[in-house]
mmCIF file of all heavy atoms in Angstrom:
data_model
loop_
_atom_site.group_PDB
_atom_site.id
_atom_site.type_symbol
_atom_site.label_atom_id
_atom_site.label_comp_id
_atom_site.label_asym_id
_atom_site.label_seq_id
_atom_site.Cartn_x
_atom_site.Cartn_y
_atom_site.Cartn_z
ATOM 1 N N LYS A 26 1.999 1.238 0.719
ATOM 2 C CA LYS A 26 2.879 2.398 0.729
ATOM 3 C C LYS A 26 3.437 2.661 -0.659
ATOM 4 O O LYS A 26 3.581 3.802 -1.067
ATOM 5 C CB LYS A 26 4.024 2.205 1.718
ATOM 6 C CG LYS A 26 3.646 2.470 3.145
ATOM 7 C CD LYS A 26 4.868 2.437 4.027
ATOM 8 C CE LYS A 26 4.488 2.799 5.434
ATOM 9 N NZ LYS A 26 5.653 2.903 6.301
ATOM 10 N N VAL A 42 3.779 19.528 -14.356
ATOM 11 C CA VAL A 42 3.979 19.511 -15.801
ATOM 12 C C VAL A 42 2.647 19.703 -16.493
ATOM 13 O O VAL A 42 1.672 20.068 -15.884
ATOM 14 C CB VAL A 42 4.599 18.176 -16.269
ATOM 15 C CG1 VAL A 42 5.890 18.432 -16.995
ATOM 16 C CG2 VAL A 42 4.843 17.228 -15.164
ATOM 17 N N GLY A 44 -0.568 18.813 -17.484
ATOM 18 C CA GLY A 44 -1.672 17.894 -17.293
ATOM 19 C C GLY A 44 -2.872 18.473 -18.008
ATOM 20 O O GLY A 44 -2.989 19.687 -18.128
ATOM 21 N N ALA A 55 -13.591 28.887 -12.492
ATOM 22 C CA ALA A 55 -14.082 28.165 -11.317
ATOM 23 C C ALA A 55 -14.923 26.972 -11.751
ATOM 24 O O ALA A 55 -15.721 27.056 -12.676
ATOM 25 C CB ALA A 55 -14.892 29.092 -10.416
ATOM 26 N N GLY A 56 -14.692 25.849 -11.103
ATOM 27 C CA GLY A 56 -15.445 24.646 -11.415
ATOM 28 C C GLY A 56 -14.662 23.405 -11.076
ATOM 29 O O GLY A 56 -13.635 23.462 -10.409
ATOM 30 N N LYS A 59 -11.589 17.360 -14.377
ATOM 31 C CA LYS A 59 -11.236 15.955 -14.200
ATOM 32 C C LYS A 59 -10.107 15.573 -15.140
ATOM 33 O O LYS A 59 -10.011 16.072 -16.252
ATOM 34 C CB LYS A 59 -12.453 15.069 -14.419
ATOM 35 C CG LYS A 59 -13.514 15.308 -13.355
ATOM 36 C CD LYS A 59 -14.597 14.278 -13.406
ATOM 37 C CE LYS A 59 -15.552 14.488 -12.241
ATOM 38 N NZ LYS A 59 -16.441 13.359 -12.089
ATOM 39 N N SER A 62 -5.391 13.583 -19.469
ATOM 40 C CA SER A 62 -4.112 13.047 -19.919
ATOM 41 C C SER A 62 -2.970 13.808 -19.264
ATOM 42 O O SER A 62 -3.168 14.863 -18.676
ATOM 43 C CB SER A 62 -3.988 13.138 -21.440
ATOM 44 O OG SER A 62 -3.952 14.489 -21.847
ATOM 45 N N LEU A 63 -1.781 13.240 -19.411
ATOM 46 C CA LEU A 63 -0.579 13.833 -18.842
ATOM 47 C C LEU A 63 0.586 13.520 -19.756
ATOM 48 O O LEU A 63 0.757 12.378 -20.186
ATOM 49 C CB LEU A 63 -0.314 13.236 -17.455
ATOM 50 C CG LEU A 63 1.008 13.573 -16.790
ATOM 51 C CD1 LEU A 63 1.034 15.034 -16.374
ATOM 52 C CD2 LEU A 63 1.201 12.697 -15.572
ATOM 53 N N ASN A 68 13.831 12.192 -16.696
ATOM 54 C CA ASN A 68 15.140 11.590 -16.953
ATOM 55 C C ASN A 68 15.336 11.278 -18.433
ATOM 56 O O ASN A 68 15.865 10.230 -18.798
ATOM 57 C CB ASN A 68 15.336 10.332 -16.106
ATOM 58 C CG ASN A 68 15.302 10.625 -14.626
ATOM 59 O OD1 ASN A 68 15.746 11.683 -14.184
ATOM 60 N ND2 ASN A 68 14.775 9.703 -13.849
ATOM 61 N N GLY A 69 14.867 12.175 -19.288
ATOM 62 C CA GLY A 69 15.035 12.004 -20.723
ATOM 63 C C GLY A 69 14.051 11.051 -21.381
ATOM 64 O O GLY A 69 14.126 10.804 -22.575
ATOM 65 N N GLU A 73 3.549 9.557 -21.526
ATOM 66 C CA GLU A 73 2.214 10.058 -21.833
ATOM 67 C C GLU A 73 1.202 9.090 -21.239
ATOM 68 O O GLU A 73 1.254 7.892 -21.483
ATOM 69 C CB GLU A 73 1.983 10.184 -23.330
ATOM 70 C CG GLU A 73 0.618 10.760 -23.650
ATOM 71 C CD GLU A 73 0.436 11.055 -25.126
ATOM 72 O OE1 GLU A 73 1.360 10.808 -25.915
ATOM 73 O OE2 GLU A 73 -0.645 11.529 -25.480
ATOM 74 N N ILE A 84 -2.189 1.105 -11.573
ATOM 75 C CA ILE A 84 -3.233 2.092 -11.330
ATOM 76 C C ILE A 84 -3.971 2.376 -12.634
ATOM 77 O O ILE A 84 -3.377 2.848 -13.596
ATOM 78 C CB ILE A 84 -2.629 3.406 -10.805
ATOM 79 C CG1 ILE A 84 -1.849 3.155 -9.518
ATOM 80 C CG2 ILE A 84 -3.720 4.438 -10.575
ATOM 81 C CD1 ILE A 84 -1.036 4.342 -9.071
ATOM 82 N N GLU A 85 -5.265 2.087 -12.663
ATOM 83 C CA GLU A 85 -6.059 2.419 -13.838
ATOM 84 C C GLU A 85 -6.429 3.891 -13.758
ATOM 85 O O GLU A 85 -6.962 4.357 -12.756
ATOM 86 C CB GLU A 85 -7.322 1.576 -13.927
ATOM 87 C CG GLU A 85 -8.083 1.858 -15.200
ATOM 88 C CD GLU A 85 -9.247 0.927 -15.418
ATOM 89 O OE1 GLU A 85 -9.303 -0.127 -14.776
ATOM 90 O OE2 GLU A 85 -10.099 1.271 -16.243
ATOM 91 N N THR A 87 -8.637 6.777 -14.459
ATOM 92 C CA THR A 87 -9.985 7.192 -14.820
ATOM 93 C C THR A 87 -10.037 8.713 -14.733
ATOM 94 O O THR A 87 -9.110 9.343 -14.207
ATOM 95 C CB THR A 87 -11.043 6.602 -13.863
ATOM 96 O OG1 THR A 87 -10.850 7.184 -12.569
ATOM 97 C CG2 THR A 87 -10.931 5.091 -13.786
ATOM 98 N N VAL A 92 -8.894 15.118 -9.560
ATOM 99 C CA VAL A 92 -10.000 16.068 -9.686
ATOM 100 C C VAL A 92 -9.566 17.401 -9.068
ATOM 101 O O VAL A 92 -9.177 17.460 -7.909
ATOM 102 C CB VAL A 92 -11.276 15.545 -8.992
ATOM 103 C CG1 VAL A 92 -12.399 16.562 -9.108
ATOM 104 C CG2 VAL A 92 -11.691 14.201 -9.575
ATOM 105 N N ASP A 98 -13.316 32.090 -4.995
ATOM 106 C CA ASP A 98 -12.628 32.907 -3.987
ATOM 107 C C ASP A 98 -11.108 32.875 -4.111
ATOM 108 O O ASP A 98 -10.397 33.388 -3.262
ATOM 109 C CB ASP A 98 -13.049 32.490 -2.575
ATOM 110 C CG ASP A 98 -12.576 31.094 -2.184
ATOM 111 O OD1 ASP A 98 -11.919 30.408 -3.000
ATOM 112 O OD2 ASP A 98 -12.872 30.680 -1.042
ATOM 113 N N PHE A 101 -8.028 26.631 -4.463
ATOM 114 C CA PHE A 101 -8.270 25.398 -5.197
ATOM 115 C C PHE A 101 -7.813 24.217 -4.354
ATOM 116 O O PHE A 101 -7.050 24.358 -3.402
ATOM 117 C CB PHE A 101 -7.561 25.390 -6.553
ATOM 118 C CG PHE A 101 -6.076 25.160 -6.473
ATOM 119 C CD1 PHE A 101 -5.551 23.874 -6.629
ATOM 120 C CD2 PHE A 101 -5.205 26.203 -6.250
ATOM 121 C CE1 PHE A 101 -4.185 23.657 -6.555
ATOM 122 C CE2 PHE A 101 -3.838 25.991 -6.178
ATOM 123 C CZ PHE A 101 -3.330 24.710 -6.333
ATOM 124 N N SER A 102 -8.312 23.056 -4.715
ATOM 125 C CA SER A 102 -7.876 21.819 -4.069
ATOM 126 C C SER A 102 -7.789 20.731 -5.130
ATOM 127 O O SER A 102 -8.397 20.829 -6.185
ATOM 128 C CB SER A 102 -8.848 21.406 -2.960
ATOM 129 O OG SER A 102 -10.127 21.148 -3.500
ATOM 130 N N LYS A 104 -7.750 16.383 -5.584
ATOM 131 C CA LYS A 104 -7.930 15.053 -5.011
ATOM 132 C C LYS A 104 -7.330 14.062 -5.985
ATOM 133 O O LYS A 104 -7.633 14.085 -7.168
ATOM 134 C CB LYS A 104 -9.408 14.732 -4.843
ATOM 135 C CG LYS A 104 -9.887 14.739 -3.455
ATOM 136 C CD LYS A 104 -11.308 14.255 -3.369
ATOM 137 C CE LYS A 104 -11.759 14.515 -1.958
ATOM 138 N NZ LYS A 104 -13.085 14.098 -1.701
ATOM 139 N N ASP A 109 -7.291 13.657 -0.401
ATOM 140 C CA ASP A 109 -7.070 15.091 -0.458
ATOM 141 C C ASP A 109 -5.586 15.401 -0.478
ATOM 142 O O ASP A 109 -4.792 14.741 0.181
ATOM 143 C CB ASP A 109 -7.711 15.792 0.738
ATOM 144 C CG ASP A 109 -9.224 15.797 0.660
ATOM 145 O OD1 ASP A 109 -9.746 15.870 -0.468
ATOM 146 O OD2 ASP A 109 -9.872 15.718 1.706
ATOM 147 N N TRP A 115 -5.062 30.541 -6.400
ATOM 148 C CA TRP A 115 -4.868 30.789 -7.821
ATOM 149 C C TRP A 115 -5.181 32.239 -8.126
ATOM 150 O O TRP A 115 -5.903 32.904 -7.389
ATOM 151 C CB TRP A 115 -5.709 29.856 -8.688
ATOM 152 C CG TRP A 115 -7.195 30.104 -8.606
ATOM 153 C CD1 TRP A 115 -8.066 29.540 -7.725
ATOM 154 C CD2 TRP A 115 -7.965 30.986 -9.421
ATOM 155 N NE1 TRP A 115 -9.330 30.000 -7.938
ATOM 156 C CE2 TRP A 115 -9.311 30.896 -8.977
ATOM 157 C CE3 TRP A 115 -7.669 31.826 -10.473
ATOM 158 C CZ2 TRP A 115 -10.332 31.625 -9.560
ATOM 159 C CZ3 TRP A 115 -8.693 32.552 -11.053
ATOM 160 C CH2 TRP A 115 -10.010 32.444 -10.595
ATOM 161 N N LYS A 118 -3.116 35.934 -14.366
ATOM 162 C CA LYS A 118 -1.982 36.828 -14.565
ATOM 163 C C LYS A 118 -1.510 36.717 -16.003
ATOM 164 O O LYS A 118 -1.136 35.630 -16.454
ATOM 165 C CB LYS A 118 -0.860 36.432 -13.609
ATOM 166 C CG LYS A 118 0.268 37.401 -13.520
ATOM 167 C CD LYS A 118 1.238 36.956 -12.436
ATOM 168 C CE LYS A 118 2.336 37.968 -12.269
ATOM 169 N NZ LYS A 118 3.254 37.571 -11.200
ATOM 170 N N GLY A 120 -3.011 36.580 -18.880
ATOM 171 C CA GLY A 120 -3.718 35.624 -19.735
ATOM 172 C C GLY A 120 -3.562 34.173 -19.325
ATOM 173 O O GLY A 120 -4.046 33.283 -20.002
ATOM 174 N N TYR A 122 -3.334 31.325 -15.774
ATOM 175 C CA TYR A 122 -3.750 31.134 -14.392
ATOM 176 C C TYR A 122 -2.563 30.563 -13.640
ATOM 177 O O TYR A 122 -1.913 29.620 -14.098
ATOM 178 C CB TYR A 122 -4.950 30.208 -14.314
ATOM 179 C CG TYR A 122 -6.165 30.821 -14.975
ATOM 180 C CD1 TYR A 122 -6.452 30.587 -16.303
ATOM 181 C CD2 TYR A 122 -6.992 31.678 -14.258
ATOM 182 C CE1 TYR A 122 -7.545 31.176 -16.914
ATOM 183 C CE2 TYR A 122 -8.083 32.277 -14.853
ATOM 184 C CZ TYR A 122 -8.348 32.025 -16.186
ATOM 185 O OH TYR A 122 -9.432 32.614 -16.788
ATOM 186 N N VAL A 123 -2.255 31.156 -12.501
ATOM 187 C CA VAL A 123 -1.125 30.712 -11.691
ATOM 188 C C VAL A 123 -1.673 30.056 -10.430
ATOM 189 O O VAL A 123 -2.379 30.681 -9.646
ATOM 190 C CB VAL A 123 -0.194 31.893 -11.330
ATOM 191 C CG1 VAL A 123 0.976 31.408 -10.480
ATOM 192 C CG2 VAL A 123 0.299 32.590 -12.597
ATOM 193 N N PHE A 124 -1.341 28.766 -10.275
ATOM 194 C CA PHE A 124 -1.765 27.980 -9.124
ATOM 195 C C PHE A 124 -0.568 27.834 -8.191
ATOM 196 O O PHE A 124 0.518 27.456 -8.639
ATOM 197 C CB PHE A 124 -2.258 26.604 -9.566
ATOM 198 C CG PHE A 124 -3.486 26.681 -10.424
ATOM 199 C CD1 PHE A 124 -3.387 26.849 -11.797
ATOM 200 C CD2 PHE A 124 -4.739 26.616 -9.846
ATOM 201 C CE1 PHE A 124 -4.513 26.942 -12.589
ATOM 202 C CE2 PHE A 124 -5.885 26.718 -10.635
ATOM 203 C CZ PHE A 124 -5.768 26.880 -12.006
ATOM 204 N N ASN A 128 5.223 27.731 -1.809
ATOM 205 C CA ASN A 128 5.917 28.735 -2.617
ATOM 206 C C ASN A 128 6.150 28.263 -4.043
ATOM 207 O O ASN A 128 7.019 28.766 -4.729
ATOM 208 C CB ASN A 128 7.279 29.074 -1.979
ATOM 209 C CG ASN A 128 7.101 29.788 -0.662
ATOM 210 O OD1 ASN A 128 6.185 30.578 -0.498
ATOM 211 N ND2 ASN A 128 7.987 29.509 0.275
ATOM 212 N N LYS A 134 -3.148 27.279 -18.712
ATOM 213 C CA LYS A 134 -4.009 28.028 -19.623
ATOM 214 C C LYS A 134 -5.341 27.314 -19.731
ATOM 215 O O LYS A 134 -5.414 26.084 -19.668
ATOM 216 C CB LYS A 134 -3.374 28.126 -20.998
ATOM 217 C CG LYS A 134 -2.144 29.009 -21.030
ATOM 218 C CD LYS A 134 -1.610 29.167 -22.422
ATOM 219 C CE LYS A 134 -0.399 30.085 -22.397
ATOM 220 N NZ LYS A 134 0.118 30.314 -23.735
ATOM 221 N N GLY A 137 -11.023 26.809 -24.072
ATOM 222 C CA GLY A 137 -12.370 26.226 -24.095
ATOM 223 C C GLY A 137 -12.671 25.670 -22.717
ATOM 224 O O GLY A 137 -12.679 26.388 -21.740
#
Side-chain angles (χ1 to χ4, degrees):
K26 280 188 176 185
V42 238
K59 295 191 175 192
S62 65
L63 171 70
N68 298 326
E73 182 173 1
I84 302 170
E85 184 173 343
T87 67
V92 179
D98 67 359
F101 75 95
S102 62
K104 252 187 189 181
D109 289 327
W115 68 271
K118 191 174 184 178
Y122 295 92
V123 180
F124 296 87
N128 293 324
K134 291 184 179 182

